[in-house]
C-alpha cells in the first residue's frame, strides 16, 4: 500500500468544499508534491497537466465520464497555451458536473512557474470562473521560491491558499522506508533516494546530480537573477559542509573565489533557504538589527545535503564523534525549520563562553534547546545562563540525558513551544 503524507487527506478535504481559493502546493524539489496531489485526486474527477511535459493524448476517464483532450503536443507553454488549457478544463468540468451533480472537479497545473507571466493569466481566468459561478477547483504546483516570489503576493493576493510541503520527517521515512534513526540522521529525508542507501556511491551521485544540481541550476538560476552563479554554488557547498557551525560571512569571503560583499552572500543564502537547501540562522537578540549583524549559523534543511557534501561514509560519520554530533544537531535544526509556521522563529544564542544550539520563539513563547549526542550529558552552562537572562524561557535538553531524539522528531516546532 502506498504511503500517504498528511497533506493528502488535507487536500481531499478541501476538494469536498466549494472552491473558495486557488490551492498552491509548494515545496522543495523531490519531496513528493506531484505524488501526493495525484493520491488526493484518485477518486476525484480532474484534469492534470504538467507544464514541462507533453500533454497526455489518451482520453481522460472520470468514473463513467469520458472526455477527449484537445491539447496538442509541442505547443509553446505560454499564456495562450494556459488559456486554451484552462478553457478545455472548464468545458470538461461543466460536462462532468451536468452528469454528476455536486461532485468536485479539479484542474491541476504542475510546474506552473515555467509559464511566462503565469500569475497575471491565472488571475484573469480565476476571476472569470468566480464571476460565472464555475465550481472548478484549481491546484497549482511548484517550488516555494518561484511561486511565492513570482506572483502570489502580488497578482494573486487574496486568491490563494498555500499548502506547504516540506522535507520528509523521521517518522515518515521510518514508516515508508523502515529507516532507522541513524540512517535518517545521515541519509536524510529524500524519498527518491531511500532505496539507494545500501550503495552509498550511487546514493551520493543521485543526491548531487538529481537533487542538488537541479535545485540550484533550474529552481534558482533559471528563475531568479543571480549575478554570480558560481559564487552561489560555492556558498552552498561551503555552508553544507559547515552545517551546525557558526561562520561569519566576512570570513566566508576568504574561502570563496570571486566573493562578493556580505550583502550579496546574505542574499544568496536567502535564495538557498527558499529552495529548501541551506539556511543561516540568526543570533537570538531582542533587537532585529543586532540579530542580523552576528555571524549566521549554517544549517542544511535536509541532512542528505550535508552527508553528500563531505567525504565521510555512513560508518566513518558515526565513528567521528564530533562530525556525528554536527549531523545530529543539523537534524534537529532541519526538523525545526521544516515544521515551523510563518510566525515562529528559529535562532541560536551565543555570549562567549556560553552558547545555546537553538532558540525558538513566537510572539508569546520562548524555548531554548540544547542538543547532546555523546555518551554523557556534559556541561549545560549555556542553557543555564540563557534561562538566567530570560526567566520566561522553557529549557529543553534533546538527546543524551533529555528528550530522546525520536520523540523530539515526532512533533512540530509548535509542540516544543507549549508549556509542559
Amino acid at each position: 500500500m502506498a504511503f500517504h503524507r498528511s497533506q493528502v487527506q488535507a487536500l481531499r478535504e478541501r476538494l469536498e468544499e466549494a472552491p473558495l481559493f486557488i490551492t498552491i502546493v509548494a515545496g522543495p524539489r523531490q519531496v513528493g508534491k506531484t505524488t501526493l496531489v495525484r493520491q488526493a485526486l484518485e477518486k476525484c474527477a480532474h484534469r492534470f497537466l504538467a507544464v514541462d511535459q507533453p500533454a497526455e493524448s489518451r482520453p481522460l476517464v472520470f468514473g463513467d465520464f469520458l472526455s477527449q483532450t484537445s491539447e496538442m503536443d509541442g505547443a509553446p507553454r505560454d499564456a495562450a497555451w494556459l488559456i486554451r488549457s484552462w478553457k478545455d478544463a472548464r468545458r470538461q468540468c461543466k460536462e462532468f458536473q451536468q452528469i454528476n451533480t455536486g461532485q468536485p472537479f479539479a484542474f491541476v497545473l504542475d510546474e506552473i512557474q515555467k509559464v511566462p507571466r503565469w500569475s497575471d493569466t491565472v488571475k484573469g481566468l480565476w476571476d472569470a470562473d468566480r464571476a460565472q459561478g464555475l465550481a472548478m477547483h484549481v491546484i497549482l504546483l511548484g517550488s516555494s521560491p518561484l511561486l511565492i516570489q513570482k506572483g502570489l503576493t502580488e497578482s494573486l493576493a487574496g486568491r490563494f491558499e498555500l499548502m506547504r510541503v516540506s522535507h520528509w520527517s523521521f517518522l515518515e521515512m521510518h514508516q515508508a522506508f523502515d529507516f532507522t534513526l541513524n540512517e535518517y540522521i545521515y541519509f536524510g529525508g529524500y524519498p527518491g533516494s531511500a532505496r539507494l542507501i545500501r550503495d552509498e556511491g550511487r546514493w551520493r551521485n543521485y543526491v548531487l546530480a538529481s537533487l542538488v544540481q537541479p535545485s540550484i541550476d533550474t529552481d534558482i538560476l533559471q528563475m531568479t537573477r543571480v549575478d554570480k552563479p558560481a559564487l552561489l554554488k560555492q556558498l552552498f557547498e561551503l555552508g553544507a559542509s559547515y552545517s551546525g557551525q557558526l561562520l561569519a560571512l566576512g570570513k566566508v569571503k576568504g574561502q570563496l573565489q570571486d566573493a562578493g560583499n556580505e550583502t550579496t552572500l546574505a542574499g544568496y543564502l536567502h535564495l538557498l533557504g527558499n529552495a529548501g537547501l541551506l539556511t543561516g540562522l540568526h543570533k537570538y537578540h531582542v533587537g532585529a538589527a543586532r540579530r542580523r549583524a552576528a555571524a549566521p549559523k549554517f544549517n542544511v534543511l535536509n541532512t542528505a545535503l550535508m552527508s553528500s557534501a563531505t567525504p565521510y561514509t555512513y560508518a566513518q560519520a558515526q565513528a567521528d564523534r564530533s562530525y556525528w554530533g554536527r549531523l545530529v544537531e543539523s537534524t534537529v535544526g532541519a526538523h525545526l525549520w521544516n515544521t515551523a509556521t510563518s510566525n515562529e522563529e528559529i535562532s541560536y544564542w551565543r555570549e562567549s563562553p556560553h552558547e545555546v544550539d537553538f532558540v525558538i520563539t513566537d510572539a508569546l513563547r520562548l524555548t531554548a534547546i540544547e542538543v547532546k549526542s555523546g555518551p554523557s550529558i556534559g556541561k549545560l552552562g549555556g542553557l543555564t545562563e540563557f534561562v538566567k537572562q530570560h526567566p520566561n524561557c522553557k529549557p529543553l535538553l534533546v538527546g543524551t540525558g533529555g528528550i530522546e531524539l525520536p520523540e523530539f522528531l515526532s512533533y512540530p516546532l509548535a509542540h516544543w513551544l507549549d508549556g509542559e
Side-chain angles (χ1 to χ4, degrees):
M1 183 177 179
F3 179 81
H4 286 188
R5 302 192 74 183
S6 61
Q7 293 90 345
V8 173
Q9 182 58 32
L11 185 54
R12 284 176 176 170
E13 291 173 0
R14 290 190 190 181
L15 291 171
E16 292 299 320
E17 303 171 351
L20 300 174
F21 305 101
I22 299 170
T23 299
I24 306 294
V25 180
R29 177 175 289 268
Q30 294 297 313
V31 295
K33 299 184 295 294
T34 302
T35 298
L36 74 85
V37 169
R38 286 190 178 277
Q39 288 172 337
L41 293 172
E42 286 175 351
K43 297 180 180 181
C44 175
H46 65 276
R47 186 177 189 200
F48 191 108
L49 291 180
V51 174
D52 58 347
Q53 296 178 4
E56 298 177 357
S57 58
R58 61 178 176 79
L60 301 178
V61 181
F62 312 124
D64 296 328
F65 178 75
L66 180 66
S67 175
Q68 292 283 348
T69 174
S70 61
E71 178 58 43
M72 297 178 61
D73 290 346
R77 273 27 179 186
D78 53 16
W81 172 86
L82 181 54
I83 292 170
R84 291 196 305 273
S85 300
W86 198 294
K87 288 181 177 179
D88 279 347
R90 283 174 177 165
R91 173 181 53 80
Q92 292 174 348
C93 176
K94 292 175 182 177
E95 292 175 359
F96 171 75
Q97 291 179 342
Q98 284 177 352
I99 303 172
N100 303 273
T101 304
Q103 293 299 308
F105 182 98
F107 178 38
V108 186
L109 287 159
D110 197 359
E111 298 293 341
I112 184 62
Q113 75 278 352
K114 296 185 178 180
V115 177
R117 299 185 62 82
W118 65 271
S119 58
D120 291 334
T121 305
V122 167
K123 174 185 176 181
L125 293 166
W126 174 258
D127 287 350
D129 288 352
R130 304 283 67 71
Q132 297 174 16
L134 181 66
M136 182 174 75
H137 290 273
V138 175
I139 303 173
L140 306 180
L141 290 82
S143 57
S144 295
L146 303 178
L147 284 173
I148 299 302
Q149 297 176 10
K150 297 286 186 180
L152 287 187
T153 56
E154 296 178 1
S155 299
L156 296 179
R159 294 171 174 83
F160 72 92
E161 192 171 11
L162 180 64
M163 179 172 287
R164 184 179 172 216
V165 182
S166 193
H167 293 287
W168 284 45
S169 68
F170 166 62
L171 279 182
E172 289 175 318
M173 294 300 289
H174 176 69
Q175 293 169 2
F177 304 103
D178 201 27
F179 263 38
T180 65
L181 176 62
N182 283 357
E183 286 173 342
Y184 180 74
I185 290 170
Y186 181 85
F187 294 107
Y190 281 117
S193 68
R195 305 190 189 283
L196 304 178
I197 65 173
R198 305 305 173 205
D199 185 340
E200 291 188 36
R202 185 180 177 188
W203 171 83
R204 189 181 302 269
N205 289 336
Y206 175 84
V207 172
L208 294 174
S210 297
L211 299 176
V212 175
Q213 184 175 336
S215 293
I216 294 177
D217 291 348
T218 302
D219 295 345
I220 297 178
L221 297 182
Q222 287 187 13
M223 297 291 173
T224 308
R225 176 176 175 176
V226 175
D227 294 329
K228 297 182 178 181
L231 178 61
L232 182 140
K233 294 179 181 180
Q234 292 171 26
L235 177 62
F236 167 74
E237 293 169 358
L238 181 67
S241 62
Y242 273 86
S243 183
Q245 293 180 304
L246 275 66
L247 191 61
L249 293 180
K251 294 182 179 180
V252 169
K253 293 194 295 183
Q255 302 188 45
L256 300 176
Q257 298 178 357
D258 190 30
N261 59 34
E262 294 179 28
T263 301
T264 299
L265 292 174
Y268 289 174
L269 191 56
H270 180 69
L271 289 175
L272 292 168
N274 279 340
L277 298 174
L278 175 75
T279 190
L281 301 178
H282 294 300
K283 178 181 177 181
Y284 177 79
H285 197 280
V286 176
R290 293 188 63 179
R291 285 202 303 267
R292 296 190 179 95
K297 179 180 181 179
F298 288 126
N299 207 112
V300 291
L301 302 182
N302 189 316
T303 49
L305 304 171
M306 180 178 175
S307 299
S308 63
T310 55
Y312 282 94
T313 64
Y314 179 43
Q316 291 169 340
Q318 294 178 86
D320 187 326
R321 197 171 299 279
S322 175
Y323 178 77
W324 188 256
R326 286 204 295 120
L327 260 176
V328 172
E329 188 175 327
S330 297
T331 301
V332 171
H335 176 74
L336 291 171
W337 182 276
N338 292 328
T339 60
T341 61
S342 59
N343 66 325
E344 296 164 347
E345 295 186 1
I346 310 160
S347 53
Y348 72 93
W349 178 79
R350 185 178 188 183
E351 287 186 6
S352 186
H354 302 297
E355 183 175 346
V356 172
D357 293 328
F358 301 102
V359 177
I360 57 176
T361 183
D362 60 10
L364 300 174
R365 300 168 294 178
L366 179 66
T367 299
I369 300 172
E370 186 67 22
V371 182
K372 295 292 184 180
S373 58
S376 60
I377 298 176
K379 297 180 180 179
L380 296 174
L383 202 58
T384 302
E385 180 63 25
F386 187 83
V387 174
K388 180 180 178 182
Q389 294 186 26
H390 305 82
N392 63 325
C393 170
K394 180 178 75 172
L396 282 183
L397 177 61
V398 177
T400 307
I403 300 168
E404 294 187 1
L405 200 54
E407 179 185 354
F408 183 84
L409 298 176
S410 299
Y411 296 95
L413 181 150
H415 176 84
W416 303 111
L417 278 172
D418 290 331
E420 298 180 358

